[in-house]
Amino acid sequence: MENALSYEDYELVFEENFDGEALDRSRWNVELHEPGWVNGELQEYVDSEETVCLKDGKLLIRPVRTVDDRGKFSYRSGRISTQWKYDFIYGIFEARLKVPEGKGYLPAFWLMTTDEDRYGGWPACGEIDIMEIWGDQTKTAYGTLHYGLPHGQSQGRMTLAEGDFAETYHDFSLEWEPEAIRWYVDGRLFYETEYWFSTDADGTAHPYPAPFNHEMYLILNLAVGGNWVGYPDETTDFGHAVYAVEHVRVYQRKQGGRQEL
């Protein structure tokens, strides 16, 4: 199949099927962050069964909205990561998942640099977004690189001809190699780039393929609102919205394969 993802010369090095009674804390962190921490987002990330739990072999991340006696809304959600527990350089990263529908939701599956200071903090340290989907445009998926100073960005998108990412589960994959990064949906390539750069706040230019040449960790989260996706409105359903993940897998080149640091 043309432009199909190939696992030839790869071996499975990390697999999470979310089939326990609770999230495995030896593998995953449940992160805590205040509202507005990044991107003008509304949610507080909390450690609660209400926002992050396992059920029927799936990870479920739910957004929660509450209102106080003055009519002011507040929002909670979930974000998990493998930082300092499982960190990776190069390989195939994939998750099978279904996203929530609703204006202002931004579910994501992505990679963040383990050592953010190596190339001068974000965005110079590098970020790879494997999947982001707007809650009010759930037929379109985005894959994005962030890098450099001034902030550089490379982004691809794909739109389903039939179906919806909020209706059925789909496989989102990324193939990260030293000089090329490729994005796939259901095993089919939709974006590839070999262009990025690394310049830090002091103006120091680091040689290519920096910053995408050192370890990164996995993140799954559901943001509520933000500068890019927009904000919830009266149509946003908080009663049934769920970001559901069936599994996460990481493959790396077998020993002797063509991959160099």
Side-chain angles (χ1 to χ4, degrees):
M1 184 187 299
E2 185 181 0
N3 292 332
L5 177 60
S6 172
Y7 298 87
E8 186 177 358
D9 296 328
Y10 282 96
E11 61 183 349
L12 184 66
V13 298
F14 177 89
E15 182 174 25
E16 177 61 79
N17 293 309
F18 300 112
D19 52 3
E21 294 184 2
L23 189 68
D24 186 345
R25 300 300 180 103
S26 71
R27 300 182 128 209
W28 298 94
N29 310 297
V30 178
E31 297 191 8
L32 307 178
H33 299 290
E34 294 298 316
W37 173 56
V38 292
N39 305 325
E41 296 170 7
L42 300 176
Q43 80 288 330
E44 177 185 6
Y45 285 122
V46 299
D47 186 350
S48 167
E49 285 284 315
E50 192 177 24
T51 55
V52 177
C53 69
L54 303 189
K55 184 178 181 181
D56 299 329
K58 299 177 181 66
L59 167 72
L60 305 180
I61 301 179
R62 292 187 174 96
V64 177
R65 181 176 67 182
T66 56
V67 59
D68 64 19
D69 54 12
R70 296 171 296 174
K72 181 180 179 180
F73 291 113
S74 61
Y75 304 85
R76 300 188 302 279
S77 190
R79 170 172 163 143
I80 68 171
S81 77
T82 65
Q83 187 177 22
W84 306 119
K85 296 179 176 178
Y86 288 88
D87 302 277
F88 309 92
I89 179 167
Y90 306 130
I92 295 173
F93 303 80
E94 66 179 29
R96 182 167 179 80
L97 56 88
K98 185 171 66 172
V99 303
E101 183 175 7
K103 183 172 176 57
Y105 292 143
L106 185 63
F109 169 45
W110 52 298
L111 300 174
M112 186 62 189
T113 304
T114 301
D115 180 4
E116 293 186 31
D117 294 329
R118 179 170 177 178
Y119 293 125
W122 193 93
C125 64
E127 173 185 323
I128 305 176
D129 299 323
I130 303 170
M131 180 285 300
E132 292 179 295
I133 294 174
W134 292 24
D136 60 347
Q137 297 180 25
T138 52
K139 293 176 71 70
T140 299
Y142 296 87
T144 311
L145 290 185
H146 298 276
Y147 49 83
L149 284 172
H151 179 197
Q153 176 176 298
S154 302
Q155 185 177 80
R157 72 176 73 182
M158 73 85 62
T159 299
L160 292 171
E162 297 180 355
D164 192 294
F165 292 121
E167 294 176 351
T168 57
Y169 286 86
H170 291 266
D171 296 309
F172 295 86
S173 306
L174 178 103
E175 186 174 24
W176 170 24
E177 295 188 309
E179 296 184 353
I181 300 176
R182 306 177 188 92
W183 287 257
Y184 300 80
V185 170
D186 297 327
R188 296 300 305 272
L189 179 72
F190 74 90
Y191 182 57
E192 177 178 4
T193 185
E194 300 176 0
Y195 174 80
W196 56 82
F197 62 87
S198 178
T199 305
D200 63 25
D202 296 329
T204 301
H206 302 279
Y208 185 88
F212 301 111
N213 62 346
H214 59 121
E215 289 187 330
M216 306 186 85
Y217 61 91
L218 297 161
I219 304 174
L220 291 158
N221 71 288
L222 174 58
V224 179
N227 301 329
W228 183 44
V229 71
Y231 294 90
D233 62 14
E234 66 278 359
T235 69
T236 305
D237 179 8
F238 281 87
H240 303 92
V242 180
Y243 178 21
V245 184
E246 286 193 347
H247 65 246
V248 176
R249 295 173 183 156
V250 180
Y251 302 81
Q252 291 184 316
R253 293 282 183 187
K254 297 176 183 177
Q255 189 171 0
R258 56 174 184 87
Q259 194 154 273
E260 299 178 358
L261 302 186

